[in-house]
Amino acid sequence: MSKQKPKALITDGLRFGRFPITAVQPAVEGGKFPAKATVGESLVVGATAFREGHDQLGVSAVLLDPRGKERQRVRLAPPRGPRGQGTDRWEGLLAPPATGNWSFVIEAWHDRYGTWHHNAEVKVEAGIDVDLMLAEGAALLSEASEDPARPSSDRRTLRMAVVVLSDPSLTPEERLAAGFSAEVAAVVERQPIRDQVTVSEQYPLLVERDLAGRGAWYEFFPRSEGAVRHHETGEWTSGNFRTAAKRLDAVAGMGFDVIYLPPIHPIGIQHRKGPNNTLLAGPHDPGSPWAIGASEGGHDAIHPELGTFEDFDAFVARAGELGLEVALDLALQAAPDHPWVQSHPEWFTTRVDGSIAYAENPPKKYQDIFPLNFDNDPAGLSQEILRIVFLWVSHGVKIFRVDNPHTKPLWFWEWLIGKVNKKHPDVIFLAEAFTRPAMMHALGRAGFQQSYTYFTWRNTKEELEEYFQEVSHESAAFFRPNFFVNTPDILTDFLQFGGPAAFKIRAVLAATASPSWGVYAGYELYEHVARPGAEEYIDNEKFEYKARDWDAAAESGRTLAPYLTRLNAIRHEHPALGDLQNLTVHQSTDNATIVYSKHKTLPDGTKDTLIIVVNLDPHSTRESTVSLDLAALGLDPEDLTRSGGFMVDDLLSGESWEWRESNYVRLDAHVEPAHILSIRRERQ
């Protein structure tokens, strides 16, 4: 009797295929928005998949390039710990190798070899259906050996196993061992024996360049770099792009990747703010760079004291020579004397008395700034902003730090970023949005490549562990965190009163827990004095010039620059720190000692694993017993010492120890508040 052609499944057109595949990750709102990834990132993919009965199920993830061609296929497995016990959850790692609009699918299938292996193992040992089990194994492997898609060496391995499985002169155990051999298992692992394949929907994956999700940022005000105060009059001569360019060597020398500039445009005269945000500015007070626009121009102009477009181009070029990219502030607001106020009053909100509403965030008032209104002329205003972005892109700016994006409609950001990235896919937008989580996450979905975060205010062990778990595992598909340790507006109590140790602690946490982190100039000088009653610096650089004597600080040793340099060097040397989703929190007995690790297996099979231990108390010495989840460290037998431990090298102190599952740690905040331990891999 001839074999009948398989008929179409009765499930065709239904929501469930032959095998149910649900809860696919990363999938942002079911694939409505693309999930985010960076080139070479070990991206966690997973799904809940199951089947009826007791036969074995196999699950795979398939990475498709922008043309829809398969580029990678990985077998998924139950995750470690409770999440993988009886939950039908399957996970694995994909690593997209290039930028573009990629996608992936999940496949669930009848695992024929796994099913036979399980049944044969149980029955042969029990003496049940022994000959039948051996015959089924021989038939299965014989069929697989005829598959022309398999390499000839793999087909030969399977045929040799069939010969032994079919040899009645051998014991059942000897015959079965041939079907269970490591060689056969490797062949089947490379190319499973499967049928009844069920394929999920195709899920979009936007793969972007390194700096979209990795990098160290440094912020300075060009007008302060090279500014000179005249002793006789007390007046200042502003720094400019040419004097600021001299500071770039030091920034690059500390290992930073991005130099971020606050707005560089003309600053309004009307209602200009004075020192420390006072309402009255003197004739020589420079005002806030965020109060954009004056008679000299608006967002498409450069403040005359900073220089010309030629000077700016030279600054960008010098940064590029040093391996730095320039990030420019995109602050969509206007000073009262911005040209837009006269030419397009409809782009603002007019009050009943005819006045234009200035910005407010009660009880804070910003009389020097008019917010934009996108409801009166959305097309005209949007096109003007698009023109401005393209202008700066033409001058070498590929990164924009966007001020207060949460005060603009989401549709606008989706439109703007989509338009810009369609023409310039390498342009990056960072959202400066300290607001409600729903809005921050929505900005990520709308297209922002990364965002400021709540990290700045997470200080306790419990707060940090919870937040690290959130950003690395729960929101990573659409929200890329940038852990800035300070900003011109934010000087937390921890830094105000924690002393130099606090600055080290926050830097270590930011540099190792997130692939992107940043500092605002002065951090390396331990600047910590706040304006009374405020969480911001006294004599705030937003409203005045600030001259810093970097050389004197270095000569006297009053600088954190060498420490920041070492942290950035560690980041560049250890690819595990460049991934977001590979963070695992470990246990410690002390409530002020946090422990977490980052692990990555590279394409060549080498492994990079760091264990970070930080004393979160900047005032004292803390002792703790650290308990490690060894499975998260990717240890191989050859990595272990004769006593069963493994060697770690402290990348900060240069010391080495033998560690194991449980370890005693003592960290003196005034000496060194952290360990950054690299697991020594003997075969590397």
Side-chain angles (χ1 to χ4, degrees), residues 373-522:
N373 185 328
F374 282 79
D375 294 330
N376 298 327
D377 179 22
L381 179 54
S382 299
Q383 288 293 338
E384 170 67 357
I385 295 169
L386 180 64
R387 180 189 70 83
I388 288 166
V389 172
F390 281 153
L391 168 68
W392 292 107
V393 171
S394 72
H395 284 275
V397 177
K398 297 296 179 67
I399 306 177
F400 294 90
R401 179 268 199 190
V402 180
D403 191 61
N404 287 327
H406 54 289
T407 62
K408 285 78 181 174
L410 278 170
W411 68 258
F412 166 73
W413 294 119
E414 184 180 357
W415 176 86
L416 179 72
I417 296 172
K419 285 283 189 182
V420 173
N421 284 160
K422 184 176 182 179
K423 188 173 182 179
H424 301 284
D426 53 345
V427 171
I428 296 164
F429 292 85
L430 165 66
E432 185 267 347
F434 300 110
T435 185
R436 302 182 307 279
M439 174 58 85
M440 294 174 70
H441 290 170
L443 289 166
R445 292 183 177 94
F448 276 93
Q449 280 78 11
Q450 53 184 278
S451 176
Y452 281 19
T453 71
Y454 299 134
F455 166 75
T456 320
W457 297 278
R458 299 296 188 262
N459 295 307
T460 69
K461 176 182 177 179
E462 182 179 9
E463 290 170 344
L464 287 165
E465 288 180 344
E466 179 182 354
Y467 200 58
F468 288 175
Q469 173 69 22
E470 176 186 330
V471 298
S472 62
H473 298 290
E474 297 170 19
S475 60
F478 52 84
F479 183 83
R480 290 199 192 106
N482 191 317
F483 282 3
F484 259 81
V485 290
N486 67 327
T487 77
D489 291 311
I490 301 172
L491 177 65
T492 62
D493 287 349
F494 192 86
L495 294 179
Q496 290 179 38
F497 305 109
F503 286 74
K504 282 188 173 183
I505 290 167
R506 298 303 293 180
V508 169
L509 292 169
T512 59
S514 173
S516 296
W517 80 297
V519 305
Y520 154 58

Side-chain angles (χ1 to χ4, degrees), residues 10-190:
I10 197 171
T11 54
D12 287 355
L14 300 181
R15 292 179 177 85
F16 282 124
R18 176 62 186 85
F19 303 120
I21 301 173
T22 64
V24 174
Q25 74 170 97
V28 183
E29 295 191 18
K32 182 178 179 181
F33 300 96
K36 299 179 186 296
T38 49
V39 174
E41 178 181 2
S42 296
L43 187 71
V44 177
V45 293
T48 298
F50 52 93
R51 64 168 300 165
E52 80 292 344
H54 301 288
D55 284 353
Q56 300 293 300
L57 187 71
V59 184
S60 301
V62 183
L63 181 66
L64 307 173
D65 68 17
R67 296 174 297 172
K69 182 180 179 181
E70 179 179 324
R71 293 293 297 272
Q72 186 183 5
R73 175 183 293 270
V74 297
R75 181 87 177 259
L76 306 186
R80 295 180 296 105
R83 292 179 56 249
Q85 297 175 4
T87 64
D88 293 309
R89 190 69 189 167
W90 305 81
E91 289 183 352
L93 299 175
L94 291 175
T99 60
N101 292 302
W102 291 61
S103 60
F104 71 95
V105 297
I106 302 294
E107 295 180 347
W109 34 273
H110 174 212
D111 182 359
R112 297 177 63 194
Y113 179 78
T115 298
W116 170 77
H117 190 292
H118 172 74
N119 292 339
E121 188 174 40
V122 173
K123 289 187 175 183
V124 171
E125 183 178 352
I128 302 171
D129 296 334
V130 173
D131 290 336
L132 179 60
M133 286 293 98
L134 295 171
E136 286 185 352
L140 177 66
L141 298 185
S142 178
E143 177 187 338
S145 72
E146 297 173 0
D147 183 355
R150 294 182 183 275
S152 58
S153 59
D154 285 357
R155 296 167 66 187
R156 184 166 53 253
T157 297
L158 295 177
R159 286 196 297 269
M160 292 172 61
V162 170
V163 170
V164 179
L165 275 166
S166 306
D167 188 348
S169 68
L170 301 175
T171 66
E173 291 75 18
E174 290 172 328
R175 295 164 66 183
L176 190 63
F180 285 6
S181 72
E183 292 78 12
V184 169
V187 169
V188 176
E189 178 67 25
R190 284 191 291 271

